[in-house]
Amino acid sequence: DAGITQSPRHKVTETGTPVTLRCHQTENHRYMYWYRQDPGHGLRLIHYSYGVKDTDKGEVSDGYSVSRSKTEDFLLTLESATSSQTSVYFCAISQGLADYNEQFFGPGTRLTVL
Amino acid sequence: AQSVAQPEDQVNVAEGNPLTVKCTYSVSGNPYLFWYVQYPNRGLQFLLKYITGDNLVKGSYGFEAEFNKSQTSFHLKKPSALVSDSALYFCAVRSGTALIFGKGTTLSVSS
């Protein structure tokens, strides 16, 4: 999976609790992304980062925040988890932002919010 | 807005037969198109991309895709399917920062 790890791989939590998911890469790629995958929706972009401390919102960013203090780590935080955030979360990286750059994906984190 | 559509939720094919997984796109400007495959409990794996040039793009695991500008399609193909090709396939188009994904097509190859 292209030198990308995600932790935890599985998590069950309760509504209203904070949750942080971690993405770690060993490729030294500048760009990192968080997507969520839901049946019937494919993957949708939550947030992305274009460098240390540089982040921006994606299509479905409400209820999520991110941080990137080091090139290799990109954290996704659910401040107060809701059942609608039950999903599989994927981290991705890319070498550049050019249209022709493909993205490489991590193994995913399955999050269940009860 | 950029979008892709995968009109088939599932495609069934017998091992050894050719397979096609369909994708149509809607973009303003030049399309940058991608195919990914997802095996159970795994992340997405990049298969191939179309940027410009030859309309037939070759990728990993014997897959290829044909770009057709007049039909706004980018169908994924393989001449001879394997049981191990059974997986979920996603077409995607580049839109600014993100990839916009189709909803996915489940390919089932029977022996």
Side-chain angles (χ1 to χ4, degrees):
Chain A
D1 291 317
I4 309 169
T5 56
Q6 294 184 232
S7 59
R9 293 293 312 279
H10 302 272
K11 186 170 182 66
V12 179
T13 191
E14 294 187 350
T15 297
T17 59
V19 176
T20 295
L21 308 182
R22 179 180 182 241
C23 176
H24 178 78
Q25 59 141 334
T26 58
E27 305 295 326
N28 201 36
H29 283 359
R30 179 178 175 185
Y31 299 92
M32 299 185 75
Y33 313 80
W34 277 108
Y35 289 86
R36 59 178 289 173
Q37 182 181 21
D38 304 290
H41 289 277
L43 279 78
R44 293 176 291 174
L45 182 67
I46 304 171
H47 281 279
Y48 68 97
S49 170
Y50 46 97
V52 173
K53 298 190 187 302
D54 293 324
T55 66
D56 207 346
K57 296 179 180 180
E59 177 189 358
V60 290
S61 59
D62 287 349
Y64 302 94
S65 62
V66 290
S67 65
R68 192 169 177 200
S69 58
K70 298 185 290 185
T71 298
E72 58 266 35
D73 290 326
F74 191 33
L75 304 181
L76 176 71
T77 297
L78 291 64
E79 302 289 347
S80 177
T82 67
S83 59
S84 64
Q85 293 175 313
T86 293
S87 186
V88 182
Y89 292 86
F90 287 99
C91 175
I93 62 175
S94 67
Q95 216 167 9
L97 201 57
D99 289 338
Y100 51 79
N101 285 131
E102 59 268 34
Q103 296 178 10
F104 298 97
F105 287 78
T109 294
R110 184 174 296 275
L111 176 67
T112 301
V113 184
L114 301 176
Chain B
Q2 323 283 56
S3 66
V4 292
Q6 295 180 242
E8 301 159 317
D9 291 336
Q10 178 143 354
V11 170
N12 299 309
V13 64
E15 187 174 33
N17 284 357
L19 68 87
T20 299
V21 182
K22 295 179 180 178
C23 173
T24 59
Y25 66 89
S26 174
V27 303
S28 54
N30 294 323
Y32 299 94
L33 298 159
F34 302 80
W35 274 103
Y36 285 82
V37 60
Q38 184 180 31
Y39 297 100
N41 301 312
R42 300 285 301 276
L44 277 70
Q45 295 180 28
F46 169 73
L47 279 177
L48 50 81
K49 64 182 177 183
Y50 173 81
I51 303 301
T52 187
D54 195 348
N55 289 342
L56 186 63
V57 179
K58 294 189 182 297
S60 305
Y61 313 121
F63 284 93
E64 57 191 26
E66 185 172 10
F67 173 72
N68 187 315
K69 188 173 182 177
S70 63
Q71 297 186 6
T72 62
S73 66
F74 188 55
H75 300 334
L76 182 70
K77 300 182 178 186
K78 188 174 183 181
S80 179
L82 300 173
V83 172
S84 57
D85 291 330
S86 297
L88 182 58
Y89 290 80
F90 289 100
C91 180
V93 63
R94 191 63 184 253
S95 176
T97 322
L99 289 174
I100 305 297
F101 286 86
K103 295 181 179 180
T105 298
T106 298
L107 173 66
S108 178
V109 182
S110 58
S111 57

